[in-house]
Amino acid sequence: MSDPYETTEAHLDRLLGRALNSFDLPDLLVERLGTALAHSSSLSTTHHSPSAGLWRETHWHTYLLADGGSEALWELAYRQEGDRAVRHEVFASKSDLCMAVTRLFGEVPARMARDLAASPSGGGPAEDVASLGALFAAPLPALRHREYTVEQSVDHARRVLRRAENADRPGERLAERLRSAYAHQITQAFGGRRSLTSGRDAGFSLYEHAFVLLDGSEVSLWEVEHTATPDGRHMCEVYESETIARGAMELRARVR
């Protein structure tokens, strides 16, 4: 976590000092950054895979320069499997950051690419878009881990639990744990129509809402959205496991 009272000069020195690859930055960029008057840092994406011992975060650092312009640096902080040491690398563009993830982890997660593409551009936008297009045109390994987004995750968990109509929805114990969520990911696990025993069709969708908590643990809520109600009304149900959620879908298809 950055020190709110840290000067921009000290912040930049600390960032470049801990980066293993700071010598790769263009000399002109480093010179321009030396004139920075103010700075801002934000967490862009976070990724945890406790079972594999993997962890990484991306940070976006912006600097206001003396000539009225601005520059940005992208930072990758990570741990690799079997190694508890945190390493840092810094990049002048989003495309360089994505290529570093490919080099280190053998993947460019789709969610990370979307999040970075939606973030303000650090460096030349045209160059970033062209580089990203060339990178994603190449075949990449299948995704192996979750890619979380840091954005109002506590509120998201609260909304999911609030719209649950099933009596056996998760209780206060899990709701309390989710109050420490700081990142989440939504994945659709099923979507389609099923024939009911009544002879009509109903729509079913199953979503996993995965959260990472401040203690590093991961928790998932499984949301079933369906129209298997007597009047065809849309209904949401939430469960603590995929097995229970899929069982509920099968039950709704049989008894309605």
Side-chain angles (χ1 to χ4, degrees), residues 54 56 76 78 80 87 89 91 97-107 144:
L54 300 174
R56 68 173 176 264
L76 174 64
Y78 62 92
Q80 293 184 289
R87 291 177 168 80
E89 297 189 24
F91 306 93
L97 173 62
C98 284
M99 285 186 281
V101 174
T102 304
R103 167 174 53 84
L104 292 165
F105 299 95
E107 58 174 299
R144 297 192 296 273

Side-chain angles (χ1 to χ4, degrees), residues 111 146 185-190 206-210 221-222:
R111 184 61 179 266
R146 298 190 191 281
Q185 178 198 55
I186 307 169
T187 305
Q188 184 171 13
F190 174 84
L206 175 63
Y207 298 91
E208 180 186 12
H209 301 263
L221 296 175
W222 293 86

Side-chain angles (χ1 to χ4, degrees), residues 2-169:
S2 60
D3 181 353
Y5 301 104
E6 185 177 41
T7 66
T8 296
E9 181 181 8
H11 168 83
L12 184 61
D13 286 345
R14 183 168 59 87
L15 176 64
L16 297 181
R18 71 189 177 206
L20 300 176
N21 65 330
S22 58
F23 54 83
D24 287 334
L25 293 174
D27 291 341
L28 181 59
L29 173 60
V30 175
E31 291 177 10
R32 281 178 55 76
L33 288 169
T35 70
L37 303 175
H39 71 279
S40 174
S41 298
S42 60
L43 177 65
S44 180
T45 64
T46 184
H47 169 101
H48 292 253
S49 181
S51 61
L54 300 174
W55 168 87
R56 68 173 176 264
E57 291 181 346
T58 61
H59 299 259
W60 189 59
H61 305 279
T62 57
Y63 301 89
L64 176 65
L65 307 183
D67 62 5
S70 64
E71 291 288 356
L73 292 175
W74 291 91
E75 182 184 20
L76 174 64
Y78 62 92
R79 281 199 303 260
Q80 293 184 289
E81 186 174 2
D83 187 354
R84 300 300 297 173
V86 177
R87 291 177 168 80
H88 299 263
E89 297 189 24
V90 67
F91 306 93
S93 70
K94 293 177 290 187
S95 55
D96 288 344
L97 173 62
C98 284
M99 285 186 281
V101 174
T102 304
R103 167 174 53 84
L104 292 165
F105 299 95
E107 58 174 299
V108 176
R111 184 61 179 266
M112 177 183 177
R114 290 195 298 271
D115 292 342
L116 292 176
S119 301
S121 178
E127 177 185 352
D128 286 352
V129 172
S131 298
L132 282 171
L135 178 62
F136 295 124
L140 295 172
L143 302 184
R144 297 192 296 273
H145 309 295
R146 298 190 191 281
E147 192 67 29
Y148 289 101
T149 299
V150 180
E151 54 177 9
Q152 300 179 327
S153 298
V154 173
D155 286 341
H156 178 74
R158 187 181 299 116
R159 289 193 299 270
V160 173
L161 292 173
R162 184 186 301 136
R163 61 180 176 249
E165 299 183 51
N166 52 309
D168 55 345
R169 61 186 176 272

